[in-house]
Amino acid sequence: MNIKLGSGSRATPVGAVKYAVNDQGALVALGFEEHWDALVRRLQRRFPGATPAPSRSAAAVGDALDAYLAGDVHALDGLAVDAGGTPFQQRVWTALRAVPAGTTCSYADVARAVGAPRAVRAVGAANGANPVSIVVPCHRVVASDGSLHGYGGGLERKAWLLAHEA
């Protein structure tokens, strides 16, 4: 069975991003271009035979990204997301989407928010496994001392995203 996922891409000030949506239009992957092949491999494990291909079904994601990049930092909030993941990862990603643009939280804050205050490392692992970067705003998580730490896209991008949202 060959599943088709709609996909698209956008240039950003910190590098090109690519994304894919399922047949309901929910975002299933978004990442910087150099990480796209790894994201596609994850998608193919989740959706055997998946082939992300340019599609108009992904237009809403592209429009929301354009608005976000133009300064509407809340433009991504309404996007439907189907990130998959374990129940714990899903709780972490839901908690991340609740962190308002322009603010940050610590890994410990997220652990408390998901009802697992001692699971700081597991929160970090879930944060790192996020398949829909920027929309599930893992860049808003910082170290407990407020320093930038642990962003798969690189700390320069994390700093840019946080400054853009401030």
Side-chain angles (χ1 to χ4, degrees):
M1 178 160 78
N2 197 10
I3 299 169
K4 293 194 186 291
L5 299 172
S7 68
S9 63
R10 285 294 188 274
T12 79
V14 288
V17 295
K18 291 186 173 189
Y19 49 90
V21 299
N22 64 19
D23 58 356
Q24 289 85 38
L27 186 65
V28 295
L30 187 148
F32 289 98
E33 190 170 44
E34 68 271 15
H35 302 289
W36 187 244
D37 290 341
L39 276 172
V40 169
R41 285 191 297 276
R42 286 176 63 187
L43 283 174
Q44 290 171 336
R45 283 193 300 274
R46 184 171 171 212
F47 304 106
T51 55
S55 168
R56 295 185 64 68
S57 66
V61 174
D63 293 345
L65 278 168
D66 290 344
Y68 172 83
L69 293 167
D72 179 0
V73 296
H74 301 289
L76 305 175
D77 295 349
L79 287 176
V81 171
D82 177 8
T86 67
F88 181 79
Q89 288 172 326
Q90 291 173 11
R91 289 194 341 252
V92 168
W93 299 334
T94 298
L96 293 177
R97 288 199 83 184
V99 177
T103 65
T104 59
C105 62
S106 70
Y107 294 94
D109 294 332
V110 176
R112 284 190 293 277
V114 300
R118 298 174 58 119
V120 175
R121 287 186 184 192
V123 164
N127 205 33
N130 172 15
V132 285
S133 178
I134 304 172
V135 176
V136 172
C138 52
H139 61 276
R140 295 179 190 156
V141 182
V142 297
S144 58
D145 65 2
S147 64
L148 299 187
H149 178 72
Y151 185 62
L155 295 183
E156 182 178 303
R157 285 181 174 144
K158 182 172 189 155
W160 185 90
L161 290 164
L162 292 172
H164 174 68
E165 295 178 351

